[in-house]
Amino acid sequence: MTVYQLSLPDRVPEAVCHLWNCLDEQMVRMQFHGIAFRIQEERIGSRVVFLCHDGGGDDAESREVRHGIGLAVAEYIRSYHEPNLVRDAVRKAFPFQPSRSDAAEKAVLSWIGKKRRRKPSLGLDWKIAGQVSGFLKESRRLAVDGFIRFRLKGYHRVFSRLLDQAVREYRLEQEYQEFIELLRYFVSTQKTQIPVIHVLHFGKSRFHLMKEDGTPLRLKDVEGAAQEIMEQTFSREDMIVSALLSAAPEFVVLHTRQREETIIRTVRKIFEGRIVLCEGCPLCRSEKVGRETLD
């Protein structure tokens, strides 16, 4: 029978409990598959040691036990160690916004989780499990905290890049939301120039703006007050938003098949409460409505 020893400092009971739960999940899984794996807990000095017994099976069973222990360590890192890294990164990135910390941490962790699911090639959990398994093949003792710090440099490089990207994405999203709120406030203070505007969207940057009587909306039809906020218009999408902001219509009728496209979502957020989504009309079904406006 082989006994593997995994240890953590006893000064952080939460970490010890987390590792125990991860090992216990693997023990249940292996016992379900007929592998006599069991765990004991001991204290040696200032460390808590988990004694993992493999049941004395054949080589294949021993490999499965080491792999299971590796998966437990990987889960411990993902569910306990990584949230701490995220918490530190968020506090460093937003030192003067403590009230946003919890929301920021959840958003960053969620982004990282989605990235992992969308890009299985990252394989962080499996790579960690493989490293732990390989280490246990040569040594029966593993100090989990030291292993994470000194043996998982490749993991730390990958996760650090993910974390930096997630924090940047969160920052950009917050700036976007704040800008949307500013534009919504601007709309609420504007005097309506044109009561109803139809926005015909044919994909990507192809738009056609029409007034209620069916005539095209042109830049000269609206005052340019929105320029104070938009500053400069760099794209077709910017021009559409600028024209709508200046017109401040009571209702915006959206004719589009791409309701989740970025510009459409932006218009819906800015003019929330004023949006009418067309469910299908001759205008929606035809792209032959004349050339694009805003000349």
Side-chain angles (χ1 to χ4, degrees):
M1 177 186 297
T2 303
V3 180
Y4 302 100
Q5 298 182 23
L6 278 70
S7 68
L8 280 174
D10 63 4
R11 65 178 178 272
V12 188
E14 184 183 359
V16 172
C17 182
H18 226 90
L19 181 58
W20 168 266
N21 290 336
C22 294
L23 287 168
D24 185 64
E25 287 181 6
Q26 289 300 318
M27 180 180 69
V28 172
R29 181 185 67 83
M30 285 188 273
Q31 288 180 349
F32 177 77
H33 290 288
I35 299 174
F37 178 72
R38 61 190 179 87
I39 312 166
Q40 288 179 281
E41 180 180 330
E42 289 185 357
R43 288 182 181 271
I44 301 177
S46 61
R47 299 185 72 83
V48 176
V49 180
F50 296 111
L51 305 175
C52 303
H53 303 262
D54 73 356
D58 57 18
D59 289 346
E61 192 168 292
S62 294
R63 282 196 301 273
E64 183 60 31
V65 167
R66 290 194 298 271
H67 180 66
I69 294 173
L71 289 176
V73 173
E75 174 60 21
Y76 165 80
I77 291 172
R78 188 189 63 78
S79 59
Y80 178 79
H81 182 68
E82 289 181 5
N84 289 329
L85 294 177
V86 168
R87 186 174 301 111
D88 291 342
V90 166
R91 290 176 179 175
K92 182 178 179 181
F94 308 102
F96 306 112
Q97 303 176 39
S99 61
R100 291 188 177 183
S101 291
D102 288 347
E105 289 168 26
K106 290 177 182 177
V108 169
L109 280 170
S110 175
W111 188 92
I112 291 173
K114 289 177 182 177
K115 191 75 171 179
R116 276 175 154 160
R117 290 190 292 274
R118 292 173 183 170
K119 195 173 180 182
S121 61
L122 287 173
L124 293 179
D125 292 352
W126 286 96
K127 289 175 182 177
I128 292 171
Q131 283 186 257
V132 171
S133 177
F135 182 87
L136 291 176
K137 187 176 181 181
E138 304 299 327
S139 174
R140 302 294 183 259
R141 297 180 180 180
L142 188 150
V144 175
D145 51 329
F147 188 85
I148 293 172
R149 180 175 300 175
F150 299 112
R151 296 272 184 164
L152 295 180
K153 296 190 180 204
Y155 155 79
H156 280 294
R157 282 194 298 272
V158 174
F159 187 77
S160 180
R161 287 197 296 268
L162 278 177
L163 183 52
D164 288 345
Q165 190 175 356
V167 170
R168 284 197 302 272
E169 291 292 332
Y170 177 78
R171 190 192 297 277
L172 289 173
E173 178 63 21
Q174 291 305 297
E175 291 172 354
Y176 170 76
Q177 294 299 336
E178 289 170 3
F179 188 56
I180 291 295
E181 286 301 315
L182 173 64
L183 297 184
R184 289 178 65 182
Y185 173 76
F186 178 83
V187 169
S188 71
T189 61
Q190 278 286 90
K191 180 180 178 180
T192 296
Q193 295 189 45
I194 301 174
V196 178
I197 295 179
H198 291 261
V199 179
L200 283 72
H201 174 232
F202 303 120
K204 296 185 179 180
S205 300
R206 300 180 57 212
F207 292 92
H208 189 80
L209 300 190
M210 293 171 56
K211 291 181 278 191
E212 194 171 14
D213 61 5
T215 59
L217 176 69
R218 303 183 187 279
L219 285 178
K220 64 183 180 181
D221 296 327
V222 294
E223 296 179 6
Q227 295 297 328
E228 297 177 11
I229 291 181
M230 298 296 287
E231 294 183 353
Q232 294 180 349
T233 55
F234 297 101
S235 66
R236 199 87 183 148
E237 289 85 349
D238 291 337
M239 293 176 66
I240 296 297
V241 171
S242 180
L244 291 174
L245 287 171
S246 297
E250 292 182 15
F251 295 101
V252 177
V253 184
L254 278 176
H255 305 263
T256 181
R257 298 174 185 173
Q258 293 87 30
R259 294 186 180 183
E260 296 306 313
E261 195 160 314
T262 301
I263 179 60
I264 298 301
R265 289 192 291 110
T266 297
V267 170
R268 291 175 67 176
K269 287 181 179 180
I270 295 172
F271 294 93
E272 187 177 16
R274 304 185 184 207
I275 292 291
V276 178
L277 288 170
C278 181
E279 298 297 334
C281 69
L283 289 177
C284 293
R285 294 189 290 270
S286 173
E287 295 191 13
K288 298 178 181 180
V289 292
R291 64 191 180 88
E292 296 175 51
T293 54
L294 293 185
D295 297 328

